[in-house]
Amino acid sequence: MEQKYEIIQIDAETWRIEDGTVRCYLLVGADAALLIDTGMTLRNAREIAEGLTDKPVKLLITHGDPDHIAGNGSFPTFYMQPDEEPNYRAFGGAGDFIPIRGGDTLDLGGRELEIVELPGHTPGSIAVLDRSRRALISGDPIQNGRIFMFGPARDLRQYLTSLRALQRRIGEFDAIWPAHGDFPVSPDLIGKLAIGAERILAGQVTWEPHDMRGTPLRAYNVGCATFLMQE
Ligand SMILES: [Zn+2]
């Protein structure tokens, strides 16, 4: 089957892989490389990553939703925040993982990455702070497309708490590299999304009905993004 993905180089040691509406990243250091997510259709994600670098490629997933894990099966193991496991398994995610938590670091060799927990979109959603690039690879919680907040294990209040905590660290990065929507986005988006979430929780945002393959949802357009929620 023909695949429609696009590989775009960000700098000499960094790529983004656009898989339709979802985006993965490959970060390469002196000793190792890290692939962040395997997309919605990229069953050959490992092969794609290994075609871009001769360093050993490890895998980390920002969370376990089905549009981020298609190619996990070709990796012997991967990094995941352990609170995410029920969500990952619910979507058919297989394999053994290495637990990783907020504050943990991964050193690719001269390229240190810090894990930042952002629970709420899913219980174990994480972002990766790439200090060498002053970029935060945010997964789904911070992006200007559609943010899925329906189904089990989604928590808008917890999401808001995560964003407020992240706002206190805004001096540590200059850009956000999200998994959906525009690339890159400004760190200002964190505050805008937090205000949007607060307004939804306060009942101040009118919603439009939205049909998600037969599931009736509410679409709350807060200007900087649209939150999809259930009644
Ligand atoms: Zn997603």
Side-chain angles (χ1 to χ4, degrees), residues 63 67-68 140 180:
H63 63 300
D67 54 328
H68 299 261
D140 282 11
H180 301 279

Side-chain angles (χ1 to χ4, degrees), residues 21-22 63 65 67-68 121 139-140 143 146 148 179-180:
T21 58
V22 66
H63 63 300
D65 283 351
D67 54 328
H68 299 261
H121 167 63
D140 282 11
Q143 40 116 342
R146 297 190 305 178
F148 288 20
H180 301 279

